[in-house]
Amino acid sequence: MEPVSENVDAYLRSADRAEEMTALDALITAEAPRLSRVLWRGTMWGGTEQAIIGYGRMRQPRPRGADVEWFLIGLAEQSKHLSVYLNAVEDGRYLLKQRAARLGRVKIGAAALTFTKLENLEQAEFRSMIARAVELHPEVQG
């Protein structure tokens, strides 16, 4: 995946779930106002083509191979759900894993949060988690 020059707001307006995507974008930007928003496109590690709004830029260590340029927070629309990627670590564990039980009716991977409807996400906890991620990673560039 790599950053592209497409306008993020235009992408949000064109999304199938534009209302929910725009609401999530607003939640993220409210808690992470210093982070830039850039659209990333390409093939994810699992082999699927993706478009992800990335917030902030960082060097992401990989378990095998060289570090990659990546984002602290990512937002993507999938065919059946919405995904938020959070590459924040506290005390050696992904922040998503630590807060999983408090985020509502969602599924949690190592650094991925998925849910079928925005109303299933506990928004106060989500906002708190985003703010903490930014706090934990001051090295992330806008």
Side-chain angles (χ1 to χ4, degrees):
M1 299 216 48
E2 60 185 42
V4 297
S5 61
E6 288 178 60
N7 181 282
V8 172
D9 292 320
Y11 169 76
L12 285 167
R13 285 190 300 273
S14 71
D16 290 338
R17 298 170 71 169
E19 189 175 319
E20 289 176 297
M21 289 286 287
T22 301
L24 279 165
D25 175 70
L27 289 173
I28 294 167
T29 55
E31 298 304 325
R34 73 171 178 83
L35 300 183
S36 61
R37 295 182 321 156
V38 175
L39 190 63
W40 293 65
R41 287 194 181 271
T43 305
M44 282 287 276
W45 297 291
T48 60
E49 283 293 314
Q50 295 282 321
I52 300 174
I53 301 169
Y55 302 82
R57 287 190 175 199
M58 62 188 282
R59 297 295 300 168
Q60 176 76 18
R62 302 303 308 151
R64 294 176 211 76
D67 295 354
V68 295
E69 183 179 350
W70 206 229
F71 41 79
L72 178 62
I73 304 160
L75 171 60
E77 176 184 50
Q78 313 296 344
S79 61
K80 296 182 182 177
H81 60 271
L82 300 169
S83 296
V84 175
Y85 303 98
L86 188 62
N87 298 300
V89 175
E90 183 172 31
D91 299 327
R93 291 183 58 215
Y94 279 106
L95 199 53
L96 274 172
K97 289 282 194 183
Q98 294 179 19
R99 297 194 180 206
R102 300 187 305 245
L103 287 167
R105 292 182 39 214
V106 300
K107 292 183 181 177
I108 304 287
L113 162 71
T114 62
F115 46 96
T116 55
K117 294 185 269 186
L118 184 56
E119 65 194 40
N120 292 345
L121 178 66
E122 172 45 59
Q123 292 182 26
E125 183 64 27
F126 179 76
R127 290 177 67 134
S128 170
M129 182 180 65
I130 295 298
R132 182 65 180 146
V134 173
E135 212 174 83
L136 286 169
H137 294 279
E139 78 284 359
V140 171
Q141 310 215 348

